[in-house]
């Protein structure tokens, strides 16, 4: 068998075209003119058939410079053994087509799932293989080819030849060239498989054309077909966003669990929703206190949180006394309006102990568990050892462990051996993770079988005290912290405390760490949210001695030299790197306590009247330690004032390049900037604008591409990016290139000059929502800024009178309708915002519905539904209205 690859591609000087076969073999193509490229592959096909997948890449100096769109099954050939001799592929370069976002598991196996339509079984001696990407032909529809040949119906669509959808969303059919009269002209059509009277939809554009390829016997010819475009209404769907921990059912243990996800699927199906979006569900057990409720601070990127175990699914065999004690505690916890994180986890741990004592040995000896262990041991064994050592030494900070503080694979194996004194603890951890794994897989399969996509969440960071930090410390920078620059969420920026990634080290093995993580995630989810996708372009890096995000800078970045700064008309000087602390500033910050601050925290003023922080108080981290345990209002005000003093600088010195500087973000609002002359203020403003919004666009685009490629093309999940905040111009370009949906939130518009986003103008490849877990709900937002909601009421909703003080059910329904009718492919409001349209059912306590306050680093994540899922299913009037809204918006 010989495969001849041909592609027309005009390269630049020094570039070459290569064909990558089955991701194993790369063939350098030949050309005589730099446009027409060819390659030859000889194959031994001993059996009846073999799959061959290939794609084209452009290389420069041996490295990949560009890749074509990696459409699943787009270049997949089923080659027959035996007599077939030559396959001649005349290809076109695959650019990203319209509606590329359909080429993933969310659509292929769930939303557009349909029975396989095999098409005709043909194996001609001289074949012409037609292949075309048509994702629009979803359930109930088929694709056919109609043309100027008898075999193609002679332009009669009723007699057109059907295509095979084995490789959906790519359709194909092999024509018998011996039955064709050349030139061959044809078009693809889409038709209803069950209703012949429905109109056939013809593809747009001119007829397709194939001249006689001059085939020999046992040849297959693949003409260079491009994608097809049809006038088919764009598909749009709706969903619901809610954390798993917030779910409530009649059998809950004071927190939602994976069993509750299946119950939520039933409700989602009943109201015609298509997506359930959740927050991260990884294990965060670090201190066993309520501070572990933060779902983005996981101790493992693989292990699931034990609190999401559905105890009933494990079929516990309690004795009467045990059950009575468990039931009494369960009922008390379940009656609470919010989650008592510590009590919930204690009770579930007690239940797990009872079940493990009863059936742990049997489960761990089962074939199903052994299959799970074999597939997951690479992360499961280190995680189990980490948990055992954390509990033994009383801390997840492995740096403080007297033994095993440095990860050693052989030591982990020794800890996990059956004869080890740790064996029972290790076995219990295995048992818990096996149960969690099977329960979440069951939830995904149940959702998929019912046409619901389960959408997960991929946190941007990892905990400093995590299994990953212990195992592979070289992949992280522990002398810095990740966060976000100031925005509507937090005027001081956010400090998440995670270490930053050592991207250079990760790149050396082609981002193996990310690929493995995403392949594991794909076991549970068909879609996922990329938390803070901007971090893959550049992360907000904060010094280890800072508390606020204000003292951070973007990394990677192009810091400025002193000469560059001066080219803007601002003379660079040392005092721009130090806070300007004078009597006026102290009086404005501290009032009557200014003298106390001078006495306790500052060095005496120099001859210019400028103070300096005492060495023991010259970083925000030192100030934080000084005020540890002092939670009264006066102490907090004093501490925050000292933080503000320390952050009042114009520039931050780069730690990697001496003599280079980053302008401090938002410095124009602070005291030091106000002391500059008018010309210097204008110069700094120009510099600030250029640095943060223009200087880095191509640099960040090139930085993100290999990371996004590694994340996107090693799994089949639908990727959705959380791209809020300061968005570089390169971000939407790269997201489009890698088929990553954007996030659109009306109160955080991305178009310059807009106060509120316009859902009708959102990009189709996007997810829209009214509020996220980091924001107040619609009803909470309505209360926050009276002037802003009045403008929204007048300018967006179109009313001319005074806005109501509260967001009424009618008003909430109008806002929801506005979003559902928008252009985004998905509209996924929070459950709280769905409930807001029903005055009887929505929570009377508006503030209790908020999940997270980003400005509060010690936020307690304890929100729960105030209704059970069963009550939600029985809310007939609410459900009728939701179904009606979805139907009228075209999201059915």
């Amino acid at each position: 068998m010989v495969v001849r690859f041909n592609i027309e591609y005009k390269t630049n000087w020094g570039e070459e075209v290569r064909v990558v076969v089955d991701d194993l073999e790369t063939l350098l193509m030949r050309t005589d003119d730099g446009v027409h490229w060819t390659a030859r592959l000889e194959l031994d096909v001993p059996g009846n058939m073999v799959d061959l997948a290939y794609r084209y890449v452009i290389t420069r100096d041996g490295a990949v410079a560009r890749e074509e769109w990696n459409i699943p099954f787009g270049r997949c050939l089923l080659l027959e053994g035996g007599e077939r001799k030559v396959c001649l592929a005349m290809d076109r370069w695959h650019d990203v087509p319209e509606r590329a976002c359909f080429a993933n598991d969310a659509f292929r196996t769930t939303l557009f799932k349909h029975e396989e339509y095999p098409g005709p079984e043909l194996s001609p001696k001289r074949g012409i293989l037609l292949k075309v990407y048509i994702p629009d032909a979803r359930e109930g529809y088929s694709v056919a080819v109609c043309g100027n040949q008898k075999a193609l119906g002679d332009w009669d669509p009723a007699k057109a030849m059907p295509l095979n959808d084995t490789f959906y969303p790519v359709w194909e059919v092999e024509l018998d060239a011996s039955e064709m009269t050349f030139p061959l002209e044809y078009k693809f059509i889409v038709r209803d498989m069950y209703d012949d009277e429905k109109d056939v939809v013809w593809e747009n554009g001119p007829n397709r054309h194939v001249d006689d390829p001059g085939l020999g016997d046992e040849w297959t010819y693949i003409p260079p077909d491009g994608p097809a475009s049809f006038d088919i209404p764009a598909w749009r769907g709706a969903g619901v966003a809610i954390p798993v921990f917030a779910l409530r059912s009649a059998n809950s243990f004071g927190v939602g669990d994976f069993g509750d996800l299946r119950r939520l699927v039933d409700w989602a199906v009943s109201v015609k929703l298509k997506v359930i979006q959740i927050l991260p569900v990884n294990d965060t057990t670090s201190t066993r206190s309520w501070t572990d409720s933060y779902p983005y601070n996981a101790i493992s990127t693989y292990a699931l949180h034990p609190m999401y175990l559905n105890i009933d699914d494990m079929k516990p065999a309690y004795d009467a006394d045990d059950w009575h004690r468990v039931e009494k505690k369960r009922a008390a916890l379940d009656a609470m309006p919010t989650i008592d994180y510590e009590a919930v986890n204690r009770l579930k741990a007690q239940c797990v102990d009872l079940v493990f004592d009863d059936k742990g040995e049997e489960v761990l000896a089962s074939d199903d568990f052994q299959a799970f262990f074999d597939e997951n041991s690479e992360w499961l064994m280190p995680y189990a050892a980490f948990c055992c050592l954390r509990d033994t030494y009383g801390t997840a900070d492995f740096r403080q462990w007297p033994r095993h503080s440095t990860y050693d694979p052989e030591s982990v194996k020794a800890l996990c051996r059956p004869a080890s004194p740790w064996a029972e603890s290790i076995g219990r951890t295995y048992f818990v993770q096996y149960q969690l794994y099977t329960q979440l897989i069951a939830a995904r399969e149940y959702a998929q079988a019912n046409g619901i996509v389960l959408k997960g969440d991929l946190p941007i960071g990892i905990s400093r005290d995590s299994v990953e930090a212990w195992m592979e410390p070289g992949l992280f920078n522990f002398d810095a912290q990740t966060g976000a620059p100031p925005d509507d969420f937090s005027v001081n920026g956010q400090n998440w405390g995670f270490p930053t990634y050592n991207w250079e080290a990760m790149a050396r093995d082609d981002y193996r760490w990310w690929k493995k993580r995403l392949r594991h995630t794909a076991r549970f989810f068909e879609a996922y949210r990329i938390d803070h996708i901007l971090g893959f372009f550049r992360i907000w890096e904060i010094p280890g001695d800072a508390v606020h995000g204000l003292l951070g800078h973007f990394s990677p970045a192009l810091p400025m030299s002193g000469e560059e700064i001066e080219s803007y008309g601002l003379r660079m000087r040392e005092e721009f790197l130090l806070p300007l602390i004078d009597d006026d500033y102290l009086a404005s910050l501290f009032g009557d306590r200014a003298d106390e601050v001078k006495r306790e925290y500052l060095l005496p003023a120099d001859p210019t009247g400028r103070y300096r922080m005492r060495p023991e108080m010259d970083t925000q981290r030192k100030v934080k330690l000084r005020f540890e345990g002092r939670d009264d209002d006066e102490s907090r005000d004093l501490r925050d004032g000292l933080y503000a003093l320390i952050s009042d600088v114009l520039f931050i010195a780069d730690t990697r390049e001496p003599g280079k500087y980053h302008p401090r973000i938002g410095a124009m609002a602070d005291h030091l900037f106000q002391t500059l002359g008018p010309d210097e203020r204008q110069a700094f403003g120009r510099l600030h604008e250029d640095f943060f919004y223009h200087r880095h666009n191509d640099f960040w685009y090139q930085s993100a591409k290999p990371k996004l490629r590694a994340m996107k093309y090693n799994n089949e999940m639908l990727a959705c990016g959380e791209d809020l905040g300061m968005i570089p111009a390169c971000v939407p370009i790269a997201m489009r290139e890698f088929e990553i949906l954007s996030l659109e939130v009306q109160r955080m518009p991305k178009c310059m000059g807009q106060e509120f986003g316009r859902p009708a103008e959102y990009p189709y490849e996007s997810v829209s929502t009214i509020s996220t877990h980091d924001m107040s709900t619609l009803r909470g937002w309505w209360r926050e800024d009276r002037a802003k909601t009045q403008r929204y009421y007048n300018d967006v909703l179109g009313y001319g009178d005074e806005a109501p003080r509260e967001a009424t059910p009618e008003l909430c329904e109008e806002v929801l309708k506005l979003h559902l009718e928008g252009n985004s492919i998905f509209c996924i409001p929070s459950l709280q915002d769905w409930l807001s349209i029903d005055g009887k059912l929505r929570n009377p306590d508006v503030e209790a519905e908020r999940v997270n306050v980003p400005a509060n680093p010690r936020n307690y994540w304890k929100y729960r539904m105030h209704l059970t899922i069963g009550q939600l299913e029985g809310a007939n009037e609410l459900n009728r209205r939701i179904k009606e809204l979805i139907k009228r918006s075209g999201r059915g």
Side-chain angles (χ1 to χ4, degrees):
M1 166 68 72
V2 174
V3 181
R4 295 181 179 176
F5 302 101
N6 299 266
I7 191 167
E8 186 174 322
Y9 190 98
K10 187 175 182 179
T11 54
N12 297 318
W13 178 257
E15 293 180 337
E16 298 172 319
V17 182
R18 298 173 186 259
V19 58
V20 182
V21 181
D22 286 333
D23 283 330
L24 297 174
E25 184 176 1
T26 301
L27 305 177
L28 176 63
M29 305 187 76
R30 301 178 62 183
T31 184
D32 293 326
D33 58 6
V35 176
H36 300 89
W37 297 81
T38 65
R40 173 188 173 96
L41 176 67
E42 294 192 12
L43 292 170
D44 180 19
V45 186
N48 293 328
M49 198 163 290
V50 64
D51 287 352
L52 180 74
Y54 67 98
R55 57 192 172 89
Y56 295 101
V57 299
I58 309 301
T59 61
R60 178 185 288 273
D61 298 327
V64 174
R66 284 188 301 284
E67 294 181 275
E68 65 174 350
W69 183 54
N70 193 20
I71 174 176
F73 308 127
R75 300 200 191 278
C76 186
L77 302 176
L78 287 177
L79 303 176
E80 297 183 56
E83 298 300 320
R84 185 63 54 129
K85 297 177 181 177
V86 178
C87 180
L88 179 62
M90 306 296 294
D91 290 322
R92 291 181 180 175
W93 182 266
H94 280 164
D95 287 317
V96 179
E98 291 295 321
R99 302 182 186 177
C101 57
F102 291 151
N104 52 70
D105 277 353
F107 286 96
R108 193 166 57 242
T109 65
T110 300
L111 296 174
F112 289 1
K113 178 178 62 176
H114 49 85
E115 295 181 9
E116 185 173 304
Y117 190 72
E121 292 188 9
L122 301 174
S123 184
K125 283 184 173 293
R126 289 183 290 142
I128 298 177
L129 180 61
L130 305 182
K131 298 169 70 72
V132 62
Y133 172 73
I134 307 178
D136 309 65
R138 34 201 184 263
E139 182 180 7
Y141 288 84
S142 65
V143 174
V145 57
C146 192
N148 66 344
Q149 311 287 321
K150 182 178 180 180
L152 305 185
D154 283 327
W155 295 112
D156 181 354
K159 299 177 182 178
M161 180 176 288
L163 271 66
N164 184 309
D165 69 346
T166 300
F167 297 125
Y168 178 81
V170 173
W171 299 72
E172 65 178 44
V173 67
E174 188 168 10
L175 309 179
D176 189 340
S178 65
E179 297 181 0
M180 301 295 153
T181 302
F182 295 94
L184 168 65
E185 290 193 13
Y186 61 96
K187 276 192 170 185
F188 295 108
I189 61 174
V190 173
R191 58 191 181 187
D192 193 302
M193 293 171 60
Y194 308 113
D195 189 347
D196 293 336
E197 295 184 4
K198 280 194 175 180
D199 290 340
V200 168
V201 183
W202 292 79
E203 71 167 308
N204 298 319
N207 294 343
R208 296 173 184 257
H209 182 97
V210 175
D211 289 321
D212 188 350
L215 301 181
D217 285 345
E218 308 304 337
W219 279 46
T220 294
Y221 173 74
I222 306 174
D225 273 332
S229 168
F230 294 85
D231 290 329
I232 297 176
W235 183 93
R236 295 175 304 132
V240 61
I242 184 168
V244 174
F245 60 72
L247 297 175
R248 184 191 292 266
S249 66
N251 299 316
S252 292
F253 273 67
V255 69
D257 58 46
F258 291 150
D260 292 331
L261 269 179
R262 298 198 301 274
R263 300 180 182 98
L264 188 66
V265 166
D266 293 337
W267 174 74
V269 170
S270 73
V271 295
K272 308 302 182 185
L273 298 179
K274 294 296 182 183
V275 182
I276 294 175
Q277 176 177 316
I278 63 176
L279 294 186
V281 289
N282 295 103
D283 188 6
T284 59
T285 309
S286 180
T287 66
R288 298 197 183 278
S289 70
W290 67 265
T291 57
D292 293 345
S293 67
Y294 181 28
Y296 290 88
N297 193 40
I299 63 165
S300 170
T301 58
Y302 293 87
L304 301 168
H305 201 303
M307 77 176 177
Y308 294 124
L309 269 175
N310 182 283
I311 301 300
D312 292 338
D313 277 1
M314 294 194 295
K315 298 178 175 58
Y318 301 121
D319 63 31
D321 290 339
D322 286 336
W323 173 246
H324 179 72
R325 285 192 295 269
V326 167
E327 177 58 22
K328 185 176 179 180
K329 293 177 181 177
R330 186 204 67 78
L333 287 171
D334 212 35
M336 297 178 67
T338 58
I339 299 167
D340 184 335
Y341 181 89
E342 295 171 23
V344 159
N345 281 278
R346 281 196 301 269
L347 179 59
K348 287 222 169 176
Q350 292 168 15
C351 293
V352 167
D353 286 342
L354 293 171
V355 179
F356 183 65
D357 289 345
D358 177 50
K359 58 179 62 177
E361 187 174 337
E362 174 189 346
V363 168
L364 296 181
S366 68
D367 291 341
D368 286 346
F369 171 79
Q370 191 58 53
F372 162 78
F373 182 82
D374 291 343
E375 193 172 5
N376 295 278
S377 59
E378 185 179 359
W379 66 264
L380 182 61
M381 291 174 65
Y383 165 75
F386 182 93
C387 291
C388 190
L389 294 166
R390 173 202 61 200
D391 295 343
T392 299
Y393 298 131
T395 179
D397 184 354
F398 52 87
R399 303 158 196 85
Q400 298 183 29
W401 295 347
R403 295 180 60 203
H404 307 294
S405 60
T406 299
Y407 176 76
D408 174 55
E410 294 306 315
S411 296
V412 166
K413 288 179 183 178
L415 286 169
C416 295
R417 288 193 184 107
S420 163
W422 315 91
E424 183 175 354
S425 175
I426 297 288
R428 183 188 184 279
T429 301
Y430 290 170
F431 175 81
V432 169
Q433 288 302 311
Y434 169 68
Q435 298 290 345
L436 287 161
Y437 181 92
T438 55
Q439 288 184 13
L440 186 51
I441 290 289
R444 178 216 164 124
E445 291 175 348
Y446 187 74
Q448 187 178 46
N450 284 279
I452 301 292
V453 169
L454 196 57
K455 179 183 175 185
D457 194 323
L458 186 80
I460 182 64
I462 65 143
S463 171
R464 293 174 175 274
D465 304 328
S466 64
V467 181
E468 284 74 22
W470 181 47
M471 290 179 66
E472 301 186 86
L475 298 181
F476 312 97
N477 300 313
F478 293 100
D479 58 349
Q481 312 166 85
T482 57
D487 57 20
D488 291 346
F489 295 146
S490 176
V491 295
N492 290 318
Q494 299 175 53
N495 184 347
W496 304 323
F498 309 132
T500 60
Y501 291 112
N502 183 346
W503 289 113
E504 292 80 7
M506 289 182 162
R508 290 190 199 106
D509 60 6
D510 197 25
Y511 304 96
R512 169 194 56 85
W513 187 87
W514 283 101
K515 290 178 177 179
K516 286 167 50 183
R517 181 182 179 187
L518 281 157
R519 283 195 295 269
H520 184 78
T521 301
R523 296 175 179 176
F524 307 120
F525 305 109
E526 293 176 303
Y528 70 110
R529 168 187 177 270
I530 305 175
D531 175 41
H532 194 63
I533 193 173
L534 304 183
F536 293 92
F537 294 78
R538 78 292 185 273
I539 197 70
W540 192 247
E541 184 174 285
I542 304 166
D545 58 12
V547 173
H548 285 168
L550 281 174
L551 288 172
H553 61 79
F554 287 125
S555 178
L558 302 169
M560 308 179 81
S561 66
E563 291 78 10
E564 276 189 285
I565 293 170
E566 292 181 0
S567 72
Y568 284 85
L570 180 66
R571 185 174 62 84
M572 183 62 188
R573 40 198 188 270
E574 186 71 20
E575 53 261 37
F576 286 168
L577 303 175
L578 301 169
L580 175 55
I581 307 174
D582 56 23
D583 288 321
D584 289 342
Y585 192 29
L586 292 170
S588 68
L589 275 180
F590 300 103
D592 294 341
R593 303 188 71 180
D595 287 339
E596 176 190 346
V597 171
K598 295 176 191 176
R599 185 173 58 253
E600 296 290 331
Y601 306 106
L602 305 179
L603 295 172
D606 63 20
T608 67
R610 191 167 186 165
Y611 297 89
R612 292 284 179 266
M613 302 296 297
R614 290 183 179 275
E616 66 272 20
M617 297 294 290
D618 61 359
T619 71
Q620 290 182 341
R621 188 66 57 187
K622 293 176 181 178
V623 171
K624 181 181 180 181
L625 292 173
R626 176 72 172 267
F627 283 80
E628 205 75 52
R630 296 164 61 180
D631 292 328
D632 59 281
D633 290 342
E634 285 191 357
S635 295
R636 282 198 297 270
D637 290 345
L638 184 57
R639 179 201 63 194
D640 292 347
L642 294 172
Y643 287 166
L645 286 181
I646 293 168
S647 64
D648 185 21
V649 297
L650 275 189
F651 290 93
I652 298 166
D654 189 83
T655 57
R656 298 178 180 89
E657 295 187 70
K660 297 280 186 81
Y661 310 96
H662 304 258
R664 206 218 78 192
I665 194 166
M668 289 89 79
D670 283 359
H671 178 64
L672 177 52
F673 177 81
Q674 300 304 323
T675 65
L676 299 177
D679 291 344
E680 288 187 319
R681 287 202 296 269
Q682 287 185 11
F684 185 83
R686 290 194 304 271
L687 179 153
H688 187 279
E689 169 75 14
D690 185 47
F691 187 88
F692 286 110
Y693 295 99
H694 306 293
R695 179 182 179 89
H696 296 91
N697 271 324
D698 185 64
F699 177 71
W700 284 335
Y701 174 75
Q702 298 300 333
S703 170
K705 277 185 67 175
K707 305 166 194 172
L708 296 179
R709 182 185 297 115
M711 293 177 66
K712 178 64 183 176
Y713 295 141
N714 83 104
N715 66 86
E716 297 298 330
M717 291 185 289
L718 171 65
C720 310
E722 186 253 305
D723 55 335
L724 303 178
M726 294 177 63
I727 307 173
C730 62
V731 171
I733 297 171
M735 290 178 67
R736 163 68 179 159
E737 181 177 340
F738 291 100
E739 311 130 58
I740 301 171
L741 304 187
S742 66
L743 176 62
E744 308 297 329
V745 182
Q746 194 172 30
R747 69 182 87 164
M748 294 188 70
K750 295 173 181 174
C751 293
M752 189 71 68
Q754 289 184 3
E755 184 177 18
F756 306 107
R758 299 168 185 167
E761 299 175 5
Y762 289 162
Y764 179 66
E765 292 85 4
S766 69
V767 177
S768 72
T769 190
I770 299 171
S771 59
T772 74
H773 64 274
D774 282 328
M775 303 174 181
S776 52
T777 61
L778 171 58
R779 291 196 294 152
W781 175 76
W782 198 263
R783 292 177 167 185
E784 288 173 357
D785 186 329
R786 177 67 181 161
K788 181 172 284 191
T789 51
Q790 183 66 54
R791 291 193 297 274
Y792 183 90
Y793 186 71
N794 299 143
D795 300 340
V796 177
L797 300 183
Y799 291 101
D801 57 337
E802 184 179 350
R805 295 283 174 178
E806 299 289 334
T808 64
E810 295 77 17
L811 188 148
C812 291
E813 184 166 335
E814 193 166 354
V815 174
L816 193 57
K817 180 173 176 285
L818 183 70
H819 283 75
L820 289 169
E821 291 177 348
N823 192 50
S824 299
I825 189 171
F826 291 110
C827 178
I828 309 180
S830 68
L831 180 67
Q832 301 94 303
D833 287 338
W834 279 113
L835 292 175
S836 71
I837 70 174
D838 192 307
K840 295 179 181 178
L841 288 178
R842 64 188 194 174
N843 195 330
D845 185 353
V846 176
E847 300 308 318
E849 292 190 315
R850 180 143 190 183
V851 177
N852 181 40
V853 181
N856 178 11
R858 291 176 61 81
N859 182 76
Y860 192 170
W861 299 63
K862 59 181 180 178
Y863 163 71
R864 288 191 79 194
M865 296 170 57
H866 67 293
L867 308 171
T868 66
I869 299 173
Q871 290 172 319
L872 188 60
E873 290 180 292
N876 295 329
E877 178 58 22
L878 170 68
N879 295 334
R880 182 195 66 78
R881 288 161 67 190
I882 292 175
K883 283 191 289 186
E884 187 68 18
L885 283 168
I886 290 173
K887 180 180 179 180
R888 288 186 176 181
S889 67
R891 293 185 182 270

